[in-house]
Every structure is written in structure tokens, then in C-alpha cells.
Amino acid sequence: MAAAAERAYLKKHQHLRPYSSLNCNTPYNLCFLRHGQSTWNRDNRFIGWTDTPLTEDGVLEARVAGQMLSKSGVMFDEVHTSLLRRSIRTTNLALMELGQEYIPVLKHWRLNERNYGDLVGRNKKEVVEKYGGEKVKSWRRGWDDPPPDMDEDHPYWPGKDPRYKDMLERIPAAESLKMTMERSGKYWDDVIAPRLREGKTLLIVGHENNLRSMIKRLEDIDDDQIIGLSLPRAVPLAYKLDSNLKPIMPSSGQLDRATGFLRGEWLGGDDAVHKILDRDHKQVYDCSVKENLEKGAKWESWRNWMEFAIGKDSPDSAAKSAHSNYADGGMRGSPRGAPR
């Protein structure tokens, strides 16, 4: 019955969709995208709600992500993202590559990255050396193990940022993934799910742990298994959903090879994602690796590949991307019906 209802929906509404999408067999299409490299990703520091900008390499990553989406044939109805400029600018750059700058971009604090508490600003590898890899992995990837709290005297306490002036009581001192999912889940229920049921194709641009919280719920990943899921920057993850908004198994009948958890499709390919995740793991947990893997010769080769894939910036594209650093930090544009 569900499949028949979806076919009937498509037939009835096909005149409204003169463009191709990620999947022509279901009206429910969703794509997740983690932001490009920010300054603190490059420096291997815990970020949380700190508003770090994209690096030049992060701009390239975001543009390559847009190219991946463009080649997939998808066109979106809306984008949902956080109040943090690394995600906002990634959104704008990806839409520029798609030629879809005209669609609504809706921003909300519930899509912010998890608050890493007292760890914010600290070097990840130094924290591993102090507390051990297992404890840090539990803080970063576990289900219900928040890091130490941040107090209001912390140099990076979000309450000092004017975009949160009307919600100081909502700023968490620290968050586990479970706590992050509680706030992202409300946004999903109140905003994302209704729009998907309307047949809108959505792009959610966000942060690793906030996206992990939504994907955990979407994929029904067990609490004790979620510690094994990491997400790469700037590689779109596309989902085809059924009428219950649950992922449809790929035609291969297999979960993704990059993580082993997901029924979505990595538009950059599973092998590329696996290599990125391996690099990211070594960058944080392998204390025998002294070089910064976000810099140096290996990273330069990745940057050269990205430039080859999309070409050098034209003056027009550089001007367009420069406009994405909003002075209001993303305070405007909260979606109708969004939770407070």
C-alpha cells in the first residue's frame, strides 16, 4: 500500500517536478552535508558553538560538495542549517555550484553543533594524551557521556555572542549526543518531517554530531553502536525515504562500505569517504602521528585535486561567496513553525 501511495503521489504531482531528483521512485528525498574545513578543524581544536570561519580549503571543499550535488541531478526546495557561519557559508557555496541560490535557507540554533563544554578551544590530540583515547572517543562519539561543563567564565561561552542574547537559559553547559538529539529531534518533528511529507526535497547542512544525532534516529542505530559512526566533511549523503520517512535500502541490498551503518548514498563514493575518515581518526587519536594531517604535503595534494575538480575561482564566484559571511551571524530566517 505504501509503494502504491507513493506512485500515486508522484503521478499526481509530476507536473510540479519538471526536474530530476536523487530518486524518481519516491517523493521523499533528503540529503545531509557536513560543512567544509573551518580554522579550528585545520588546527585540530574542539569547536562546539564557537563561530569559526571556513578556511580557503574549506571553501574548496564546500564547492566540490556542490559539484557532487550538481552531478547527481538533484534540485532542492529548501536548505536547513545552523546559526554558525561555517555551515551557512558551506550552504551558500554549495548552492552557488548548484545554481540554486534562490531557494529558502532556514537557520536555527537547534541545528548547531553539540556543545563540547570545557573542551572547547583545546587541541584534540593533547586532550587524548591527557585523558586517553577511549575516554575522548566516548566524549566525542558515545551516546550519553557529556564532556566536562563549560561555565560562564569560559573564554568561548556562547552567551557572549549576541545571536544568543534571547536564549541564554537554553545554552547547554555541555552536551552528550543524547542531549544533542533531544534538541535536533524537536526540529525534525516540527519542521523537517512535515516538509518531507509535503514532498519537498531537503538539504540539511550542519555539523558532525548534530548530523549524527539525526542519522542515528533515522537509521535506528543502537545506543552502544553509535560510537562507531563518524561523518566526513563536505561529502553529501543522499537518502531515499519511504512514506514512513525511513531509509529505503539501496538496490545493492547492502549498507554503505565506508561506515557499515547507512542506507544512504555517499555522492563522493564509499572509498573516498573511507580514506577521509581514516585520516580524521589518525589526526585525533594516533599520538605517534606528529604532523598535522589537515596541512602539509598530503593535504596539499587533496587541495590540488579539489581545484582540478572545480577549477580556480572566477571573479564572479569569489564575489558571490564573499557575500555569504552574514553580519547577523545567521540570526534571520528562522523557518515558519520552527521550535523555540
Side-chain angles (χ1 to χ4, degrees), residues 197-234:
R197 291 192 176 99
E198 292 172 2
K200 291 184 176 179
T201 297
L202 304 183
L203 173 62
I204 301 178
V205 181
H207 310 266
E208 184 170 20
N209 285 290
N210 200 294
L211 296 180
R212 286 175 71 240
S213 75
M214 287 184 276
I215 291 169
K216 179 188 187 301
R217 174 177 171 171
L218 189 68
E219 293 275 8
D220 295 319
I221 300 173
D222 290 342
D223 296 351
D224 60 350
Q225 295 295 313
I226 191 63
I227 196 169
L229 177 64
S230 296
L231 303 178
R233 292 192 309 266

Side-chain angles (χ1 to χ4, degrees), residues 307-325:
E307 288 185 342
F308 174 78
I310 64 173
K312 295 282 189 177
D313 268 339
S314 68
D316 180 58
S317 65
K320 285 183 179 180
S321 64
H323 293 160
S324 64
N325 260 340

Side-chain angles (χ1 to χ4, degrees), residues 34 68 208 229-237 256-260 262 264-281 302:
R34 186 182 168 200
M68 293 177 191
E208 184 170 20
L229 177 64
S230 296
L231 303 178
R233 292 192 309 266
V235 181
L237 175 63
D256 78 305
R257 290 182 290 105
T259 73
L262 309 177
E265 176 188 358
W266 294 108
L267 299 188
D270 286 14
D271 291 341
V273 169
H274 180 77
K275 290 177 182 178
I276 295 169
L277 295 179
D278 181 63
R279 179 203 68 192
D280 291 349
H281 181 85
W302 173 251

Side-chain angles (χ1 to χ4, degrees), residues 33-35 78-92 95 104-113 187 191-192 203-207 210-211 214 326 329-330 332-335:
L33 176 64
R34 186 182 168 200
H35 62 78
E78 292 178 354
V79 184
H80 297 259
T81 192
S82 72
L83 299 187
L84 300 169
R85 59 179 166 170
R86 57 190 183 273
S87 277
I88 296 169
R89 195 173 187 201
T90 296
T91 297
N92 294 338
L95 290 179
V105 176
L106 310 172
K107 313 178 192 83
H108 204 278
W109 71 271
R110 290 186 183 275
L111 299 182
N112 278 12
E113 176 59 300
Y187 191 85
V191 181
I192 298 296
L203 173 62
I204 301 178
V205 181
H207 310 266
N210 200 294
L211 296 180
M214 287 184 276
Y326 293 140
R332 300 187 181 94
S334 290

Side-chain angles (χ1 to χ4, degrees), residues 42-225:
R42 178 198 61 201
D43 298 340
N44 206 22
R45 299 169 71 181
F46 285 96
I47 309 175
W49 287 28
T50 309
D51 198 23
T52 56
L54 294 185
T55 63
E56 290 184 9
D57 291 327
V59 170
L60 278 173
E61 288 181 348
R63 292 186 61 206
V64 169
Q67 285 290 319
M68 293 177 191
L69 289 166
S70 179
K71 291 173 182 177
S72 79
V74 66
M75 293 188 74
F76 295 104
D77 295 294
E78 292 178 354
V79 184
H80 297 259
T81 192
S82 72
L83 299 187
L84 300 169
R85 59 179 166 170
R86 57 190 183 273
S87 277
I88 296 169
R89 195 173 187 201
T90 296
T91 297
N92 294 338
L93 290 164
L95 290 179
M96 183 179 72
E97 297 297 327
L98 274 165
Q100 277 200 273
E101 296 104 317
Y102 55 86
I103 66 172
V105 176
L106 310 172
K107 313 178 192 83
H108 204 278
W109 71 271
R110 290 186 183 275
L111 299 182
N112 278 12
E113 176 59 300
R114 64 180 288 193
N115 190 331
Y116 269 112
D118 196 50
L119 300 180
V120 171
R122 298 174 66 179
N123 181 277
K124 293 175 184 176
K125 192 160 284 185
E126 291 176 0
V127 174
V128 168
E129 290 171 345
K130 179 174 181 179
Y131 294 100
E134 290 302 313
K135 185 58 183 175
V136 174
K137 188 172 184 179
S138 179
W139 281 336
R140 295 184 72 227
R141 298 289 175 262
W143 171 237
D144 193 14
D145 187 11
D149 284 353
M150 167 191 289
D151 60 37
E152 295 184 9
D153 294 327
H154 194 285
Y156 300 112
W157 181 56
K160 299 176 183 179
D161 190 317
R163 79 193 72 185
Y164 306 118
K165 61 183 176 62
D166 295 325
M167 50 165 287
L168 295 179
E169 74 285 354
R170 294 177 181 267
I171 297 174
E175 289 179 295
S176 63
L177 188 66
K178 179 180 179 181
M179 297 163 69
T180 305
M181 193 167 85
E182 288 172 358
R183 61 175 165 90
S184 70
K186 184 167 179 57
Y187 191 85
W188 178 277
D189 290 339
D190 293 352
V191 181
I192 298 296
R195 281 158 164 78
L196 287 171
R197 291 192 176 99
E198 292 172 2
K200 291 184 176 179
T201 297
L202 304 183
L203 173 62
I204 301 178
V205 181
H207 310 266
E208 184 170 20
N209 285 290
N210 200 294
L211 296 180
R212 286 175 71 240
S213 75
M214 287 184 276
I215 291 169
K216 179 188 187 301
R217 174 177 171 171
L218 189 68
E219 293 275 8
D220 295 319
I221 300 173
D222 290 342
D223 296 351
D224 60 350
Q225 295 295 313

